[in-house]
Amino acid sequence: MATSQGIRVGIVGCGYWGSKHVRVMQSLAQVGEVVLIDGRSDRTASLLRGMPGARTFEDLPSALPEVDAVVLATPPTTHAPLALAAIAAGKHVLVEKPMATTSADGRRLVEAATEAGVTLMVGHTFEHNAAVAKLRQLILQGDLGDLYNIDTARLNLGLYQSDVNVIFDLAPHDISIIINLLGSAPASVEAWAACHAHRRLEDMAYLRLSYPELNLTANIHVSWLDPCKVRRVTVVGSRKMAVYDDLAVDERIRVFDRGVTPPVDDQDLTQPPMAYRYGDITVPYLDFEEPLLVQDKHFIDCILTGGRPSTNGLNGLAVVEVLEALQISLRERRPVALDELRPEGSRPGPDPEESVSLIGSAL
Ligand SMILES: NC(=O)c1ccc[n+]([C@@H]2O[C@H](COP(=O)([O-])OP(=O)(O)OC[C@H]3O[C@@H](n4cnc5c(N)ncnc54)[C@H](O)[C@@H]3O)[C@@H](O)[C@H]2O)c1
């Protein structure tokens, strides 16, 4: 456990994203030491310039006796074996998204962490983002009315990954946002994707998540092959529509008081087919703090208090199940029900203590 000097955190994988965890963990008062763990010495060397004297290790096994907790920011296919090794050594683990690349591995991680009594958290950064919390509040308060549709786009030119396709790389963000907004996992999913520039890995995909109980479909477009950077979530309701644009720093959320109403008699062809309503566009205030900082602080707080992370192992598993079902859909060219993947009686999702499901609610 943590020493009186604070928790010793090992960052495993000090690349693009791991280096951000290094910066954020260093800023937390309860963190006594940040240890760098990466097989590439150029990666640790560039970070060492800003943190002289920091300890570095080439691999997780040699670092494990020296840390209390680890953040795994390595390629997705390494997450499960590294997390299992850390949990077996009694260490608390924050795994980057996706938590694992198969639901069987995801389940193993949840079970192992429960047995070992350690904190297992997943890096669903957007669930620690004030804009997503505001969008969820708008939905739950009924401000948008009945929900018709959620549409997300996460596009850019790159960054290509070498071990997973664009679905496993980018869609975990959108899937975790959608599960968070709706308070439940979809019943079934469908995927279309193509390998254009990459020979082996799909680099653009259109995904559909179905929520029949809500009479709602969520559509996700992810691409490494788009000239424009887009990070957008659109929620269309019967009363209002909301757009969350993560690139619009001063107005991440805009609420459009716009909509359409059908005529009383839609058989009367002398009437316009719809009446249009154009009202104000409002920009709700967000008490915005860097989501990675909020997330990593929450991880440390959970270690210290024994609290349950809001993005815990079950939450990570729910996203991994959707990803696996999407892969099956892609391979077999059919809709895939999430129940097909689950052992009898298990249905992971957001922590029921943390979330309010829209299913069965008044919406
Ligand atoms: N939450 C977010 O918003 C977010 C954003 C970007 C990336 N990520 C996730 O972070 C992870 C890393 O992505 P990245 O873009 O930083 O990749 P990257 O390639 O830039 O860095 C990965 C690093 O891991 C190291 N590594 C690989 N295997 C290792 C091992 N067994 N032990 C120690 N080090 C090892 C590599 O040498 C490399 O330096 C991925 O899971 C990705 O999905 C999350």
Side-chain angles (χ1 to χ4, degrees):
M1 233 334 258
T3 65
S4 56
Q5 277 84 44
I7 296 178
R8 300 166 303 167
V9 181
I11 309 294
V12 191
C14 298
Y16 164 67
W17 197 244
S19 62
K20 296 186 193 302
H21 279 287
V22 170
R23 170 179 54 77
V24 163
M25 284 294 185
Q26 278 184 294
S27 74
L28 297 179
Q30 302 92 335
V31 172
E33 183 182 6
V34 176
V35 172
L36 309 179
I37 305 158
D38 199 307
R40 275 180 58 178
S41 56
D42 59 317
R43 288 274 160 98
T44 47
S46 71
L47 286 171
L48 277 174
R49 280 196 281 278
M51 45 192 302
R55 293 195 291 167
T56 65
F57 295 88
E58 283 185 5
D59 55 37
L60 179 65
S62 47
L64 278 175
E66 305 298 325
V67 296
D68 307 302
V70 292
V71 175
L72 303 180
T74 51
T77 50
T78 67
H79 290 177
L82 291 173
L84 285 170
I87 291 167
K91 310 300 172 182
H92 305 285
V93 179
L94 167 55
V95 197
E96 262 311 330
K97 58 81 192 163
M99 186 174 79
T101 48
T102 66
S103 59
D105 274 347
R107 256 176 235 112
R108 245 171 246 133
L109 292 190
V110 172
E111 284 162 16
T114 306
E115 265 170 42
V118 298
T119 300
L120 172 64
M121 181 162 155
V122 61
H124 290 167
T125 323
F126 283 93
E127 296 192 54
H128 302 275
N129 185 310
V132 173
K134 175 59 76 178
L135 207 46
R136 184 172 150 77
Q137 188 191 6
L138 291 169
I139 292 172
L140 285 174
Q141 283 174 181
D143 291 16
L144 307 184
D146 293 333
L147 294 194
Y148 288 157
N149 178 55
I150 298 180
D151 191 275
T152 74
R154 198 167 296 276
L155 324 170
N156 204 0
L157 192 62
L159 298 165
Y160 276 77
Q161 301 294 311
S162 42
D163 66 338
V164 291
N165 65 15
V166 72
I167 302 175
F168 275 71
D169 181 41
L170 295 183
H173 291 310
D174 302 291
I175 296 165
S176 79
I177 291 171
I178 291 164
I179 291 178
N180 180 282
L181 293 180
L182 299 179
S184 64
S188 66
V189 302
E190 213 169 338
W192 178 91
C195 306
H196 287 307
H198 199 286
R199 274 185 223 101
R200 203 167 32 85
L201 299 172
E202 289 81 7
D203 42 22
M204 67 162 10
Y206 291 88
L207 315 171
R208 177 179 295 172
L209 277 49
S210 296
Y211 286 83
E213 297 105 318
L214 295 174
N215 194 24
L216 183 151
T217 302
N219 297 292
I220 299 173
H221 179 197
V222 281
S223 179
W224 287 328
L225 205 52
D226 196 284
C228 301
K229 182 167 181 172
V230 179
R231 302 283 184 258
R232 195 182 55 229
V233 178
T234 306
V235 184
V236 178
S238 57
R239 206 171 293 149
K240 290 183 182 174
M241 305 174 180
V243 177
Y244 161 31
D245 179 353
D246 196 53
L247 303 181
V249 285
D250 289 331
E251 42 184 52
R252 282 191 168 84
I253 294 205
R254 289 187 298 159
V255 183
F256 295 75
D257 185 5
R258 287 184 188 170
V260 292
T261 319
V264 180
D265 178 7
D266 62 8
Q267 301 295 321
D268 179 356
L269 300 184
T270 65
Q271 297 300 312
M274 282 289 176
Y276 294 84
R277 194 186 69 258
Y278 293 98
D280 289 342
I281 302 170
T282 51
V283 179
Y285 170 74
L286 298 179
D287 191 6
F288 198 83
E289 208 180 346
E290 184 185 2
L292 189 67
L293 175 64
V294 178
Q295 172 192 286
D296 286 7
K297 187 172 181 311
H298 181 53
F299 177 54
I300 299 299
D301 287 345
C302 288
I303 293 173
L304 289 172
T305 62
R308 199 170 156 87
S310 57
T311 51
N312 57 32
L314 281 178
N315 195 273
L317 175 58
V319 171
V320 173
E321 282 192 340
V322 173
L323 291 169
E324 187 170 284
L326 287 165
Q327 275 307 113
I328 297 172
S329 170
L330 200 56
R331 200 173 55 234
E332 300 182 5
R333 297 173 185 224
R334 65 178 179 91
V336 175
L338 272 284
D339 278 343
E340 292 182 35
L341 309 175
R342 294 183 181 134
E344 195 83 0
S346 89
R347 184 165 186 181
D351 188 339
E353 286 168 27
E354 299 281 340
S355 73
V356 184
S357 172
L358 294 187
I359 293 175
S361 80
L363 274 180

